[in-house]
Amino acid sequence: MPRKNIAAGNWKMNKNYEEGLVLARNLLVKSSASDALMILATPFIHLKEVGEIIKGQPHLRLAAQNCHPEKSGAYTGEISLDMLKSVGVTHVILGHSERREYFHESNELLAQKVNAVLENGLTPIFCCGERLDIREAGTHVSYVADQIKESLFHLSAEDFGKIIIAYEPIWAIGTGVTASPEQAQAMHREIRQMIAGKYNATVADNCSILYGGSVKPGNAVELFGQPDVDGGLVGGASLKAEDFCAIYDAFGKSES
Ligand code: PGA
């Protein structure tokens, strides 16, 4: 898959049914379609109707925030990829730090989920990123490298080419503290080099690598302007149509 500019909104556990539909409709009205993709990762209850709302819009895609790796069965409270596909989901966020922390998702489980998503023809948005203590100890690059190696590097070059990566330093998520454009660029560069080392320069160059962690309208232009930052995975600021559209429009204003 060629590299793309992407603004992905992760609604997390926010918005009741009606509120979510209002947000999706407002996004549709306020976003001016461009070459960049706008991906909406809504709670499960919204997926079908939001899918209807965004139907036929070439710049909009529908994502789930999680999935179960098994096809079906006795997994109370979980959701299968077949269910997600049946309502038009095209992307699945995997390994968000909140899932890793609160639901104990390991690199090994995430490898299984990555395989399942790809087998179903959907696109994983694979999240990685370090805690503050790891950043302060200076071991963040090897920590993120292990996350990527253990969950993704079993893939063939062809399958790896279907992955979107989101680098989300945990200390920047929901805290209002954003990684500086230089910090984001440095880690994205490292990730691209890891991919080039494992596969080749073309696979690395084609991989979309998003930054996540307090992306806002006020910092999106500078972040997205970094040569190895292809967009953002946005939490809080994706819950207001105006803010998320301003972030999406940042692509037109940055160099990359
Ligand atoms: P935030 O969340 O934009 O609210 O920091 C980002 C994320 O968790 O994906």
Side-chain angles (χ1 to χ4, degrees), residues 10 12 96 168 172-174 213-214 233-236:
N10 176 10
K12 306 191 181 182
H96 191 282
E168 301 203 298
I173 295 178
S214 299
L233 180 54
V234 186

Side-chain angles (χ1 to χ4, degrees), residues 7 30-34 38 221 224 244-254:
K30 288 191 207 299
S31 71
S32 37
S34 74
M38 180 188 276
V221 173
F224 298 176
F244 193 50
C245 289
I247 290 168
Y248 177 75
D249 287 339
F251 292 115
K253 297 177 179 131
S254 64

Side-chain angles (χ1 to χ4, degrees), residues 179-241:
S180 68
E182 294 73 26
Q183 285 173 318
Q185 167 57 23
M187 183 58 102
H188 284 224
R189 180 103 217 105
E190 292 283 357
I191 293 172
R192 218 177 283 287
Q193 277 165 358
M194 287 170 211
I195 301 168
K198 166 71 185 172
Y199 298 99
N200 57 55
T202 312
V203 173
D205 201 44
N206 281 339
C207 185
S208 300
I209 307 177
L210 314 182
Y211 165 79
S214 299
V215 176
K216 300 174 260 230
N219 59 26
V221 173
E222 216 187 338
L223 283 164
F224 298 176
Q226 302 303 309
D228 287 295
V229 177
D230 302 309
L233 180 54
V234 186
S238 73
L239 298 174
K240 277 198 197 141

Side-chain angles (χ1 to χ4, degrees), residues 137-173:
T139 52
H140 46 288
V141 173
S142 65
Y143 184 83
V144 168
D146 284 347
Q147 289 181 318
I148 291 177
K149 271 185 217 157
E150 290 173 24
S151 298
L152 298 179
F153 276 3
H154 61 285
L155 297 172
S156 66
E158 191 190 341
D159 277 345
F160 191 91
K162 299 169 186 161
I163 303 272
I164 295 169
I165 291 182
Y167 168 61
E168 301 203 298
I170 296 171
W171 45 272
I173 295 178

